[in-house]
Amino acid sequence: MQLTNFTDFGLRALIYLGSLPEGELTSITVVTETFDVSRNHMVKIINKLGQEGYVKTVRGKNGGICLGKPADQIIIGDVIRAIEPLQVVNCAPEFCHITPACRLKGALAKAKQAFLDELDKHTIQDMLTDNSELLILLKRI
């Protein structure tokens, strides 16, 4: 299974925000520069993560962004369900004439569920705990 760039950078942004000391805000520009992604793309990602409650935005002169909930409460499987289009294949009858007899869609559904079940075991905090190498790469230590 391959995630879209949108989801990939969304998870990276959450990991970065999770690396911040509690209460510290950063900017979309900093996140954009950290991952060398277009600012326009990151604005859309942060907006979606904000709508889902994973990111909090603070407006104003001293504003910025931070996690919308504690990193240990952000389950990676839930994030992916919220922002990733999880349709593995298009089984619409008008697209695929073998849909009525196809067993592949069932196998793919089980594989997708196994993928999400594994990611449900991990939080953003799990990506950060005892990971000084990551924190160095994020310039957090």
Side-chain angles (χ1 to χ4, degrees), residues 2-140:
Q2 183 172 354
L3 299 176
T4 61
N5 283 337
F6 191 92
T7 302
D8 179 9
F9 284 112
L11 291 169
R12 292 185 206 195
L14 291 174
I15 290 168
Y16 181 82
L17 295 175
S19 76
L20 299 173
E22 189 173 341
E24 183 177 318
L25 298 174
T26 192
S27 68
I28 291 176
T29 300
V30 170
V31 178
T32 296
E33 290 171 356
T34 299
F35 296 111
D36 194 28
V37 63
S38 100
R39 179 170 167 54
N40 185 45
H41 193 55
M42 188 56 71
V43 166
K44 292 175 186 174
I45 292 166
I46 296 299
N47 183 43
K48 179 64 175 175
L49 292 170
Q51 290 171 0
E52 298 295 332
Y54 296 115
V55 171
K56 181 173 115 179
T57 57
V58 178
R59 295 181 185 254
K61 183 179 179 185
N62 296 317
I65 59 173
C66 62
L67 288 182
K69 57 176 82 173
D72 64 349
Q73 294 178 20
I74 300 176
I75 299 167
I76 294 176
D78 290 343
V79 174
I80 290 173
R81 283 181 190 87
I83 65 175
E84 178 73 21
L86 288 172
Q87 183 178 354
V88 179
V89 293
N90 184 352
C91 294
E94 56 275 1
F95 182 78
C96 180
H97 72 279
I98 67 168
T99 291
C102 183
R103 294 181 181 159
L104 179 61
K105 61 187 171 192
L108 291 172
K110 287 178 185 177
K112 178 178 79 173
Q113 191 58 52
F115 173 77
L116 291 168
D117 288 346
E118 180 60 32
L119 293 172
D120 285 341
K121 299 174 187 175
H122 304 280
T123 66
I124 293 298
Q125 186 62 50
D126 295 335
M127 303 301 111
L128 296 161
T129 300
D130 299 324
N131 195 346
S132 58
E133 184 179 3
L134 173 65
L135 297 176
I136 289 167
L137 291 169
L138 293 175
K139 297 175 178 59
R140 299 307 308 154

